Amino acid sequence: MLLTKFTHSCVRLEQDGSVLVIDPGSFSEVDDALEGATAILITHEHADHLDQDRVVAFLEANTSAELWATTGVTDALGAALGGASDRLHTVAGGEEFTAAGFSVRTFGDQHALIHPLIPVIGNVGFLIDGSLYHPGDSFTVPDAAEVAALLVPVHAPWSKLAEVLDFMIAVRAPRAFQLHEALLNDAGLGLVEGQLTRLGARFGITFEHLAVGRSIDL
């Protein structure tokens, strides 16, 4: 599996000629990420995870592409596309399916709490081929036997560093990479990633920063 990191929470996965994209949001290089994709996974409807206009345009231009997401996403996209579509699949936590040849398991049902005055929306984390976990905006720990690589949301309005560390340690994947970093400047990102690298190593976790556009084999 080849993983390519895009800005913030978007990643592109390639395997055996198939392309799967997760969370092509407004902070990301959506058009580049989606090029040649046959499947899209969206963790939730916030704009930094779903650039609705670009995703709708992509689905209209690529009529064989399919999308899996929470109810909030599929309802919005269905309305934008002019009605229900058999290419839009609504999922919640605890489901299994195949997308673009990748096996996918879902975990969790809620976005992390931002503030009691802000309504909580749906969110699902995606475990790809039993090895790579993208949690979206949550710290839901998957009950999988082993996660080989974890995408860690390193900074958000709903989190603090202690929670980020506890999440990474709880999942205990041997490899971890940053996610959800667009709201940090270079100094802040360096500080957070330095702690994740140093403290993760105590638990056998190798944390590595992925530059935008970099691809790695998993």
Side-chain angles (χ1 to χ4, degrees):
M1 180 194 309
L2 183 71
L3 178 150
T4 301
K5 176 75 170 67
F6 291 90
T7 300
H8 203 53
S9 282
C10 181
V11 295
R12 172 186 171 101
L13 305 176
E14 300 174 60
Q15 186 169 260
D16 300 329
S18 296
V19 177
L20 170 67
V21 176
I22 307 176
D23 280 6
S26 58
F27 296 160
S28 307
E29 301 77 15
V30 174
D31 296 335
D32 291 340
L34 289 177
E35 184 176 358
T38 53
I40 305 170
L41 307 180
I42 308 289
T43 61
H44 64 286
E45 66 255 38
H46 285 161
D48 57 328
H49 296 256
L50 168 64
D51 187 324
Q52 181 169 311
D53 289 344
R54 285 195 173 98
V55 169
V56 167
F58 176 82
L59 291 172
E60 289 177 333
N62 297 269
T63 56
S64 62
E66 297 182 77
L67 180 143
W68 287 259
T70 56
T71 300
V73 174
T74 55
D75 285 352
L77 292 180
L81 290 167
S85 169
D86 59 5
R87 294 190 291 142
L88 303 178
H89 309 281
T90 301
V91 293
E95 299 187 27
E96 298 184 30
F97 57 91
T98 300
F102 294 86
S103 65
V104 183
R105 292 180 62 192
T106 59
F107 295 90
D109 285 300
Q110 290 189 335
H111 189 287
L113 178 67
I114 301 172
H115 188 275
L117 294 177
I118 299 176
V120 176
I121 63 171
N123 178 95
V124 291
F126 296 108
L127 180 64
I128 312 299
D129 279 354
S131 61
L132 174 70
Y133 185 53
H134 187 310
D137 279 7
S138 80
F139 289 136
T140 300
V141 176
D143 58 358
E146 181 177 345
V147 176
L150 174 65
L151 297 168
V152 183
V154 296
H155 174 77
W158 43 267
S159 73
K160 58 185 180 182
L161 179 57
E163 296 169 329
V164 175
L165 280 164
D166 285 345
F167 171 67
M168 186 176 73
I169 293 166
V171 177
R172 201 66 66 91
R175 302 179 74 183
F177 310 96
Q178 94 282 2
L179 200 70
H180 215 279
E181 77 279 16
L183 298 183
L184 287 174
N185 62 19
D186 289 343
L189 183 59
L191 186 153
V192 171
E193 291 189 337
Q195 296 284 21
L196 295 176
T197 300
R198 181 176 65 86
L199 296 174
R202 295 187 183 182
F203 298 87
I205 301 166
T206 300
F207 180 88
E208 182 179 356
H209 174 84
L210 291 181
V212 172
R214 182 182 169 194
S215 299
I216 59 169
D217 285 311
L218 296 177

